[in-house]
Amino acid sequence: MVLQIDLSALKANYRALASHAPGSRAAAVVKANGYGLGSGEIAAALFEAGARDFFVALASEVAPVRQAVGAEARIFVLSGHMEGADPGDAIPLLNSPGQYFRDRAMRPDRPFGIQLDTGMNRLGMESGEWAGLKQEILAQNPVLVMSHLACADEPGHPMNANQLVAFREMTQGVTAMRSLAATGGVLLGAEYHFDLIRPGIGLYGGQPFSDAQPVVTLSLPVIQTRDVLPGETVGYGNTWTAQQPTRVATVAAGYADGIHRALSSDGDVPRLNLLAGKIRCPVLGRVSMDLITVDVSALEEIPAALDLLSPLQTVDAVAGIIGTIGYEVLTSLGNRYKREYL
Ligand SMILES: *Cc1c(COP(=O)(O)O)cnc(C)c1O
């Protein structure tokens, strides 16, 4: 089970996103273990590509990134300063008056940023809270004032412009670095870029950055093959029945590795294919915890491994089959894969 991660594609995606916003610094979001790909290796490669600002979700995610990027880079913690979670040498984005007072009491001389809520109603100070504290906070020179867009992957959505207006109003008079755009926001255009862009998924080859180079290839080893006859069934629940002689390969990965059980065939109708080069091999029956069964009748020779993810089958293509997003497919990839960095 080899998850191959193309660091040169990752770096190319970073540079491409940065070039969309030539007047801004380009940070890199490496939360959730670098979207499942290994935050240390990912951060080190992006540092080489020029990134000096990194974002994680939790204080517990800082250490591997810090080790990879050294003392010079800045690491921001999106969840801010939570009770009992010391941000250490990272920069917490304080999301509420409670977080602000806690942080300033505990680390009065340490750098901090502020996250504002401009309508997503998920994280950040509300406009009323901010109005009351703004002058006091700005007097302490926050490093960054940021907000997050709810609908940036839909360029025509009116929420984008609403949040842009709200962010401009709330950050009037702010001389600190300002940031609004993740991947989707970068692609919305220059007025969304401010001082710092914060792409995540686009670095890893995912939508909405349609010009992204694919970064991941996931190859699953074939354990054994067998020939099944018409009328025989395959897998748990006998959900798939052979209509004709079929060669079935069993490969080593399953839902415990992030290959969602909903990718099982729908009765006899496959939903997902694995790839042997360009040849598509349908997944038959149920995805098990550690195993998948695949129709390899079309292959002249049985390869040592079949690909679930490749440039020909992206995370977004797999996500689309089960009505989710590439982000979830990537971050679900488990710990049993050997991660190989190119
Ligand atoms: C996850 C996240 C990002 C990165 O988003 P992408 O859509 O992956 O580019 C940026 N900012 C915040 C606040 C986030 O939570």
Side-chain angles (χ1 to χ4, degrees), residues 29 31 35 78 115 122 146 148 182-184 198-202 327:
V29 180
K31 62 192 180 190
Y35 287 49
L78 291 165
Q115 183 156 202
R122 189 183 66 167
M146 60 165 276
H148 193 51
T183 302
R198 314 184 304 271
I201 192 71
Y327 300 69

Side-chain angles (χ1 to χ4, degrees), residues 66-88:
R66 175 61 72 202
Q67 204 174 0
V69 300
E72 173 197 344
R74 288 188 289 211
I75 304 174
F76 295 91
V77 178
L78 291 165
S79 61
H81 190 157
M82 300 197 312
E83 182 113 48
D86 182 359

Side-chain angles (χ1 to χ4, degrees), residues 298-313:
L299 305 182
E300 311 218 316
E301 265 181 67
I302 304 301
L306 295 165
D307 293 339
L308 173 65
L309 299 172
S310 81
L312 298 177
Q313 181 156 277

Side-chain angles (χ1 to χ4, degrees), residues 111-128:
F112 70 100
I114 295 288
Q115 183 156 202
L116 301 175
D117 178 48
T118 49
M120 189 174 183
N121 285 314
R122 189 183 66 167
L123 208 53
M125 287 192 198
E126 306 249 341
S127 58

Side-chain angles (χ1 to χ4, degrees), residues 175-200:
T175 54
M177 245 187 351
R178 292 186 293 171
S179 178
L180 183 60
T183 302
V186 172
L187 304 172
L188 289 180
E191 72 260 42
Y192 288 85
H193 295 163
F194 295 92
D195 305 301
L196 181 84
I197 58 170
R198 314 184 304 271

